[in-house]
Amino acid sequence: MNERIVRLRQRLFDQTPKVCSERCKIFTESVKNDAGLPIAIQRANGFYNVLDKMTVWVKDDELIVGNQAKWPKASPIYPEYSNEWIVEELNGNPYEWDKRPGDKFYADDDVKKDLLECIEYWKDKTLYESLRKTLPDEINKAWDAGVIDDTWVSAAGLGNVIPDYRLVITKGLRDVIDRIKKRMSELDLKEPGNVKKKFFLDAALKSNMAVVNFANRIADECEKEAQKCNDEKRKSELLNLSEICRNVPLNPARTFHEAVQSIYFILLAVHLESNGHAISLGRFDQYVYPFYNKDIEEGRITREEALEIIECFFIKCNELNKLRSWPDTEFFLGYQMFINLAIGGQTRDGEDAVNEVSHLCIEACKELKLVTPSISVKWFEKTDDDFMLKALEAALVHQGGMPAFYNDLAFIRTLRDMGIAEEDLVEWAPDGCIEASIPGKWDFAAKGPWLSVEKVLDITLNNGYDLNTGILFKKTSKNIEDCTSIEEIYKEYTDMLTYFMDLQVITEHINDYFHCLYDINAFRSSLVEDCIGRCLDLVEGGSVYSADGGPTAGTISAGDAMAALDYIVFDKKLLTLEQVLHACRTNYEDMTTTPTGPEIRAIMLNKAPKFGNDDDRVDKWVVAIEDFIGSRYRHEYKSSKYGKGPIPCCYSYSQSPVTGNIAFGRSVCATPDGRKKGEPVNNGISPANGSEKNGATAVCNSIAKLPSIWFQKGAIFNMRLTKNAVSTVEQRKRVVAMIKVLFSQYAQQIQFNVVDSKTYKDAMEHPEKYKDLMVRVSGYSALFTALAPECQMDVINRAEIDV
């Protein structure tokens, strides 16, 4: 890092996350004035007013400019989605923002006063309230019992979108504006339905002009700062920045610096419009490389200057923030915005796509050691081993599992099976944590209610009852106690899974209905094909590709539980079914039985096979559950956009639970895999904490058996290596070889933590000593000391393994 980057990075770490009320006030006042207008127009006008009236600033040393709120790392508020939780948490229920166990935010009294005044207007008008009032009772009960949960896409805006950055930097928003105007001229308003189309196009035009106006406001601010500046070098930088912001994003970028600045404007604007997260960057190295190469060839920039611009951009990405309700935060701990940036992969003619910008991104990741963007290396058969080794070495320095590694072979196979066009397959990029998206053509790479897979098994083993609430969801066709084979139990389990998956889909259909009523975001939509052509927002079916599907949690744990019943009860007959069920229902704590509850737990933990050890006795059960869920999503359900234009409009399997494995674990009673009530379930497709006993190769062999054909929404695989496993170049080459073998068998992804438990525990005791200690939580990195203690312990409890 040069001196500028050192200063910017330190300033970022010194900044306290705050709550900003500006967006809330401006947007609320705009909507009040527009009452009665179509929602697309209301939101476009509100977006324009926010970008026109909010505070803008340019800080010392910045080479990429623009802001989301009054302060870096401050979160705007979006009361139109949900706000009851704001009032509750301001009153300390369950926590005041600055007293949370993790992800603390700070707000002064004026901000709190502003928020409460705005919320008065939004009372009984929010998307979340409307959804919960409309859902059938059985869905609300399942939601409250922790079986399904759709808070993340109803209490906040939709995200997981990759806009067409390539289009913006090569043609500019001027091209988007011209296409909107052309489409307007083609509409005959006498034709039924065309008036609604005009409303969308009017909103798209206003929204694009809002972003152009915002860039000009930033340009003005750069000029003001230049007038006050006594340092001639900095003054020249500021005047150059002003010129850049006058040109982009309205016009095509002329230089590498302009291209990166234009990208940041788009990223910033989409966040400000919709309160979504996981607004990702796609194949960054591919679309900015021509600008880099041209500047290098023509002598406008050096490699070191390009690295500096990229590092400034990465630092600005870390200024973006989002305040979620505490119940929602528990699923997303770590101040994460899930901005994924892909590098590598292959070109359309099947050659290695790694270029000099790919290398610069690796170097920036290694030097900065920041939370975001999540750098994702796409591998295929021709990816150079030296590049993979360089990426792995960066991950060891970063300490937060970044870069992570993704498999072109697996994702392309999945997307091809879903009907994605051949010419688009190599362009796929991970969005958010890991979800596969086609940049500029897919709507929401992940969207839909969560499903707690082991909770469904918990309910099944209790004959359809949830022991925590006493609710009977669906009576099993046969009492579990009377089952004489594991196959009978599995049949009851899949019937129960079907019941709750049906509820998931119904929830998403109702949620989509309300997003169409409340949540039209025309700027974001205008940057995804073919929303302008169809005159439809993304939520209405404007994109080329669409497939819904929310995250799941605990599939591996459920497979462990089924294997434990199969092996301990029905195969070896070490315990009876009644003994195991009683032990689970009493949380393995009944000391009056023979054997006692703790003794039964020891048997289930230590004698039953566990996923992650290349043991078919358990792996077959995980595969069976994965196949059942994945195939049913793909073939049995259709999303609400089906028949409206996008394809394939199915549902798709996500095993990217973020920290939902902890949040959902709290509502799951004790289960036959030996976990006690309230303990976390496994994370993603990673083995349950501490269950790997046979080393890295055995873990990979278990992972390779999983049917990744269903995993378009991704399947997170965390591996925690000992420092010894990567201490020499030769050992790191072994890790790269392991990745390649794993990927040759169509596993999708792998990421590494290499920090020892002693360091993590010391950081819990002395957080002031570890302000920049990173950790890979799930499909994302976070500052370890910012996490809640439960999440910290979940990381610590992962097994450290050798290669």
mmCIF file of all heavy atoms in Angstrom, residues 334-361:
data_model
loop_
_atom_site.group_PDB
_atom_site.id
_atom_site.type_symbol
_atom_site.label_atom_id
_atom_site.label_comp_id
_atom_site.label_asym_id
_atom_site.label_seq_id
_atom_site.Cartn_x
_atom_site.Cartn_y
_atom_site.Cartn_z
ATOM 1 N N GLY A 334 -21.987 -9.164 10.568
ATOM 2 C CA GLY A 334 -20.678 -8.785 10.054
ATOM 3 C C GLY A 334 -20.650 -7.544 9.190
ATOM 4 O O GLY A 334 -19.708 -7.349 8.423
ATOM 5 N N TYR A 335 -21.677 -6.665 9.293
ATOM 6 C CA TYR A 335 -21.724 -5.431 8.490
ATOM 7 C C TYR A 335 -21.500 -5.731 7.005
ATOM 8 O O TYR A 335 -20.782 -5.004 6.313
ATOM 9 C CB TYR A 335 -20.643 -4.447 8.944
ATOM 10 C CG TYR A 335 -20.779 -3.901 10.349
ATOM 11 C CD1 TYR A 335 -19.827 -4.207 11.312
ATOM 12 C CD2 TYR A 335 -21.828 -3.061 10.702
ATOM 13 C CE1 TYR A 335 -19.915 -3.704 12.605
ATOM 14 C CE2 TYR A 335 -21.930 -2.543 11.990
ATOM 15 C CZ TYR A 335 -20.979 -2.862 12.944
ATOM 16 O OH TYR A 335 -21.078 -2.352 14.211
ATOM 17 N N GLN A 336 -22.107 -6.795 6.506
ATOM 18 C CA GLN A 336 -21.819 -7.212 5.140
ATOM 19 C C GLN A 336 -22.835 -6.653 4.152
ATOM 20 O O GLN A 336 -24.021 -6.623 4.403
ATOM 21 C CB GLN A 336 -21.816 -8.732 5.035
ATOM 22 C CG GLN A 336 -20.478 -9.352 4.751
ATOM 23 C CD GLN A 336 -19.817 -8.912 3.471
ATOM 24 O OE1 GLN A 336 -20.453 -8.447 2.534
ATOM 25 N NE2 GLN A 336 -18.505 -9.054 3.414
ATOM 26 N N MET A 337 -22.327 -6.222 2.999
ATOM 27 C CA MET A 337 -23.189 -5.808 1.890
ATOM 28 C C MET A 337 -23.144 -6.829 0.743
ATOM 29 O O MET A 337 -23.850 -6.673 -0.244
ATOM 30 C CB MET A 337 -22.766 -4.433 1.385
ATOM 31 C CG MET A 337 -22.928 -3.331 2.423
ATOM 32 S SD MET A 337 -24.620 -3.144 3.018
ATOM 33 C CE MET A 337 -25.398 -2.366 1.603
ATOM 34 N N PHE A 338 -22.273 -7.849 0.853
ATOM 35 C CA PHE A 338 -22.245 -8.969 -0.100
ATOM 36 C C PHE A 338 -22.023 -8.510 -1.539
ATOM 37 O O PHE A 338 -22.707 -8.950 -2.455
ATOM 38 C CB PHE A 338 -23.533 -9.786 0.017
ATOM 39 C CG PHE A 338 -23.837 -10.223 1.420
ATOM 40 C CD1 PHE A 338 -24.734 -9.522 2.208
ATOM 41 C CD2 PHE A 338 -23.191 -11.310 1.975
ATOM 42 C CE1 PHE A 338 -24.999 -9.899 3.516
ATOM 43 C CE2 PHE A 338 -23.446 -11.702 3.284
ATOM 44 C CZ PHE A 338 -24.353 -10.994 4.052
ATOM 45 N N ILE A 339 -21.059 -7.617 -1.713
ATOM 46 C CA ILE A 339 -20.703 -7.130 -3.048
ATOM 47 C C ILE A 339 -19.652 -8.075 -3.614
ATOM 48 O O ILE A 339 -18.484 -8.027 -3.243
ATOM 49 C CB ILE A 339 -20.160 -5.693 -2.982
ATOM 50 C CG1 ILE A 339 -21.195 -4.757 -2.347
ATOM 51 C CG2 ILE A 339 -19.785 -5.196 -4.378
ATOM 52 C CD1 ILE A 339 -20.629 -3.394 -1.973
ATOM 53 N N ASN A 340 -20.067 -8.948 -4.501
ATOM 54 C CA ASN A 340 -19.164 -9.969 -5.041
ATOM 55 C C ASN A 340 -18.511 -9.465 -6.326
ATOM 56 O O ASN A 340 -19.168 -8.832 -7.161
ATOM 57 C CB ASN A 340 -19.936 -11.265 -5.303
ATOM 58 C CG ASN A 340 -19.057 -12.488 -5.191
ATOM 59 O OD1 ASN A 340 -17.956 -12.526 -5.720
ATOM 60 N ND2 ASN A 340 -19.545 -13.490 -4.477
ATOM 61 N N LEU A 341 -17.220 -9.761 -6.472
ATOM 62 C CA LEU A 341 -16.458 -9.348 -7.655
ATOM 63 C C LEU A 341 -15.733 -10.566 -8.198
ATOM 64 O O LEU A 341 -14.932 -11.176 -7.486
ATOM 65 C CB LEU A 341 -15.477 -8.236 -7.272
ATOM 66 C CG LEU A 341 -14.612 -7.611 -8.365
ATOM 67 C CD1 LEU A 341 -14.238 -6.173 -7.992
ATOM 68 C CD2 LEU A 341 -13.348 -8.408 -8.628
ATOM 69 N N ALA A 342 -16.037 -10.920 -9.439
ATOM 70 C CA ALA A 342 -15.469 -12.130 -10.038
ATOM 71 C C ALA A 342 -14.262 -11.797 -10.900
ATOM 72 O O ALA A 342 -14.245 -10.782 -11.612
ATOM 73 C CB ALA A 342 -16.524 -12.849 -10.875
ATOM 74 N N ILE A 343 -13.261 -12.668 -10.831
ATOM 75 C CA ILE A 343 -12.100 -12.553 -11.707
ATOM 76 C C ILE A 343 -11.771 -13.943 -12.261
ATOM 77 O O ILE A 343 -12.121 -14.963 -11.675
ATOM 78 C CB ILE A 343 -10.868 -11.971 -10.983
ATOM 79 C CG1 ILE A 343 -10.510 -12.798 -9.742
ATOM 80 C CG2 ILE A 343 -11.100 -10.519 -10.596
ATOM 81 C CD1 ILE A 343 -9.242 -12.333 -9.033
ATOM 82 N N GLY A 344 -11.090 -13.943 -13.395
ATOM 83 C CA GLY A 344 -10.665 -15.206 -13.983
ATOM 84 C C GLY A 344 -11.747 -15.860 -14.821
ATOM 85 O O GLY A 344 -12.542 -15.195 -15.477
ATOM 86 N N GLY A 345 -11.768 -17.174 -14.801
ATOM 87 C CA GLY A 345 -12.710 -17.913 -15.633
ATOM 88 C C GLY A 345 -12.200 -18.036 -17.057
ATOM 89 O O GLY A 345 -11.001 -18.036 -17.314
ATOM 90 N N GLN A 346 -13.144 -18.111 -17.997
ATOM 91 C CA GLN A 346 -12.760 -18.358 -19.386
ATOM 92 C C GLN A 346 -13.405 -17.353 -20.322
ATOM 93 O O GLN A 346 -14.415 -16.725 -19.998
ATOM 94 C CB GLN A 346 -13.147 -19.774 -19.800
ATOM 95 C CG GLN A 346 -14.619 -20.099 -19.641
ATOM 96 C CD GLN A 346 -14.902 -21.570 -19.852
ATOM 97 O OE1 GLN A 346 -14.764 -22.086 -20.962
ATOM 98 N NE2 GLN A 346 -15.290 -22.262 -18.789
ATOM 99 N N THR A 347 -12.793 -17.204 -21.465
ATOM 100 C CA THR A 347 -13.354 -16.361 -22.508
ATOM 101 C C THR A 347 -14.388 -17.172 -23.297
ATOM 102 O O THR A 347 -14.504 -18.390 -23.130
ATOM 103 C CB THR A 347 -12.257 -15.883 -23.469
ATOM 104 O OG1 THR A 347 -11.654 -17.031 -24.095
ATOM 105 C CG2 THR A 347 -11.177 -15.104 -22.711
ATOM 106 N N ARG A 348 -15.104 -16.512 -24.171
ATOM 107 C CA ARG A 348 -16.131 -17.211 -24.943
ATOM 108 C C ARG A 348 -15.546 -18.240 -25.909
ATOM 109 O O ARG A 348 -16.251 -19.158 -26.327
ATOM 110 C CB ARG A 348 -16.995 -16.201 -25.704
ATOM 111 C CG ARG A 348 -17.885 -15.382 -24.782
ATOM 112 C CD ARG A 348 -18.992 -14.682 -25.521
ATOM 113 N NE ARG A 348 -19.897 -14.009 -24.591
ATOM 114 C CZ ARG A 348 -21.064 -13.478 -24.927
ATOM 115 N NH1 ARG A 348 -21.473 -13.548 -26.183
ATOM 116 N NH2 ARG A 348 -21.826 -12.891 -24.028
ATOM 117 N N ASP A 349 -14.266 -18.074 -26.248
ATOM 118 C CA ASP A 349 -13.639 -19.081 -27.115
ATOM 119 C C ASP A 349 -12.871 -20.120 -26.312
ATOM 120 O O ASP A 349 -12.050 -20.874 -26.863
ATOM 121 C CB ASP A 349 -12.734 -18.425 -28.158
ATOM 122 C CG ASP A 349 -11.650 -17.554 -27.529
ATOM 123 O OD1 ASP A 349 -11.591 -17.469 -26.282
ATOM 124 O OD2 ASP A 349 -10.872 -16.943 -28.292
ATOM 125 N N GLY A 350 -13.125 -20.173 -24.987
ATOM 126 C CA GLY A 350 -12.598 -21.247 -24.175
ATOM 127 C C GLY A 350 -11.163 -21.092 -23.715
ATOM 128 O O GLY A 350 -10.544 -22.076 -23.300
ATOM 129 N N GLU A 351 -10.642 -19.866 -23.723
ATOM 130 C CA GLU A 351 -9.278 -19.633 -23.260
ATOM 131 C C GLU A 351 -9.287 -19.014 -21.862
ATOM 132 O O GLU A 351 -10.306 -18.518 -21.388
ATOM 133 C CB GLU A 351 -8.532 -18.723 -24.243
ATOM 134 C CG GLU A 351 -8.367 -19.328 -25.635
ATOM 135 C CD GLU A 351 -7.633 -20.658 -25.604
ATOM 136 O OE1 GLU A 351 -6.626 -20.791 -24.879
ATOM 137 O OE2 GLU A 351 -8.081 -21.591 -26.313
ATOM 138 N N ASP A 352 -8.105 -19.041 -21.232
ATOM 139 C CA ASP A 352 -7.958 -18.486 -19.884
ATOM 140 C C ASP A 352 -8.216 -16.986 -19.927
ATOM 141 O O ASP A 352 -7.580 -16.244 -20.682
ATOM 142 C CB ASP A 352 -6.540 -18.771 -19.377
ATOM 143 C CG ASP A 352 -6.340 -18.390 -17.913
ATOM 144 O OD1 ASP A 352 -7.294 -17.871 -17.287
ATOM 145 O OD2 ASP A 352 -5.232 -18.612 -17.397
ATOM 146 N N ALA A 353 -9.157 -16.507 -19.109
ATOM 147 C CA ALA A 353 -9.551 -15.097 -19.122
ATOM 148 C C ALA A 353 -8.735 -14.242 -18.153
ATOM 149 O O ALA A 353 -8.942 -13.023 -18.084
ATOM 150 C CB ALA A 353 -11.041 -14.975 -18.786
ATOM 151 N N VAL A 354 -7.826 -14.835 -17.403
ATOM 152 C CA VAL A 354 -7.024 -14.059 -16.452
ATOM 153 C C VAL A 354 -6.214 -13.004 -17.190
ATOM 154 O O VAL A 354 -5.570 -13.286 -18.203
ATOM 155 C CB VAL A 354 -6.087 -14.983 -15.643
ATOM 156 C CG1 VAL A 354 -5.090 -14.174 -14.825
ATOM 157 C CG2 VAL A 354 -6.906 -15.891 -14.726
ATOM 158 N N ASN A 355 -6.276 -11.761 -16.700
ATOM 159 C CA ASN A 355 -5.506 -10.672 -17.294
ATOM 160 C C ASN A 355 -4.841 -9.860 -16.185
ATOM 161 O O ASN A 355 -4.904 -10.233 -15.007
ATOM 162 C CB ASN A 355 -6.401 -9.804 -18.190
ATOM 163 C CG ASN A 355 -7.592 -9.209 -17.437
ATOM 164 O OD1 ASN A 355 -7.464 -8.754 -16.288
ATOM 165 N ND2 ASN A 355 -8.768 -9.220 -18.064
ATOM 166 N N GLU A 356 -4.236 -8.754 -16.535
ATOM 167 C CA GLU A 356 -3.492 -7.977 -15.545
ATOM 168 C C GLU A 356 -4.412 -7.386 -14.478
ATOM 169 O O GLU A 356 -4.021 -7.260 -13.311
ATOM 170 C CB GLU A 356 -2.703 -6.857 -16.227
ATOM 171 C CG GLU A 356 -1.629 -6.218 -15.353
ATOM 172 C CD GLU A 356 -0.589 -7.220 -14.860
ATOM 173 O OE1 GLU A 356 -0.322 -8.225 -15.554
ATOM 174 O OE2 GLU A 356 -0.037 -6.996 -13.757
ATOM 175 N N VAL A 357 -5.643 -7.058 -14.823
ATOM 176 C CA VAL A 357 -6.577 -6.544 -13.816
ATOM 177 C C VAL A 357 -6.935 -7.644 -12.813
ATOM 178 O O VAL A 357 -7.126 -7.375 -11.625
ATOM 179 C CB VAL A 357 -7.845 -5.968 -14.484
ATOM 180 C CG1 VAL A 357 -8.879 -5.567 -13.441
ATOM 181 C CG2 VAL A 357 -7.485 -4.766 -15.354
ATOM 182 N N SER A 358 -6.999 -8.892 -13.270
ATOM 183 C CA SER A 358 -7.222 -10.016 -12.348
ATOM 184 C C SER A 358 -6.134 -10.014 -11.279
ATOM 185 O O SER A 358 -6.413 -10.157 -10.082
ATOM 186 C CB SER A 358 -7.200 -11.344 -13.101
ATOM 187 O OG SER A 358 -7.892 -11.301 -14.313
ATOM 188 N N HIS A 359 -4.887 -9.854 -11.707
ATOM 189 C CA HIS A 359 -3.762 -9.840 -10.773
ATOM 190 C C HIS A 359 -3.826 -8.630 -9.845
ATOM 191 O O HIS A 359 -3.539 -8.743 -8.646
ATOM 192 C CB HIS A 359 -2.442 -9.852 -11.542
ATOM 193 C CG HIS A 359 -2.109 -11.169 -12.157
ATOM 194 N ND1 HIS A 359 -1.443 -12.172 -11.473
ATOM 195 C CD2 HIS A 359 -2.362 -11.670 -13.396
ATOM 196 C CE1 HIS A 359 -1.289 -13.217 -12.266
ATOM 197 N NE2 HIS A 359 -1.835 -12.944 -13.440
ATOM 198 N N LEU A 360 -4.219 -7.492 -10.372
ATOM 199 C CA LEU A 360 -4.329 -6.292 -9.537
ATOM 200 C C LEU A 360 -5.387 -6.470 -8.452
ATOM 201 O O LEU A 360 -5.196 -6.024 -7.311
ATOM 202 C CB LEU A 360 -4.668 -5.077 -10.411
ATOM 203 C CG LEU A 360 -3.561 -4.581 -11.344
ATOM 204 C CD1 LEU A 360 -4.097 -3.503 -12.276
ATOM 205 C CD2 LEU A 360 -2.373 -4.053 -10.553
ATOM 206 N N CYS A 361 -6.488 -7.122 -8.779
ATOM 207 C CA CYS A 361 -7.536 -7.362 -7.786
ATOM 208 C C CYS A 361 -7.036 -8.286 -6.675
ATOM 209 O O CYS A 361 -7.346 -8.072 -5.494
ATOM 210 C CB CYS A 361 -8.777 -7.958 -8.453
ATOM 211 S SG CYS A 361 -9.680 -6.790 -9.494
#
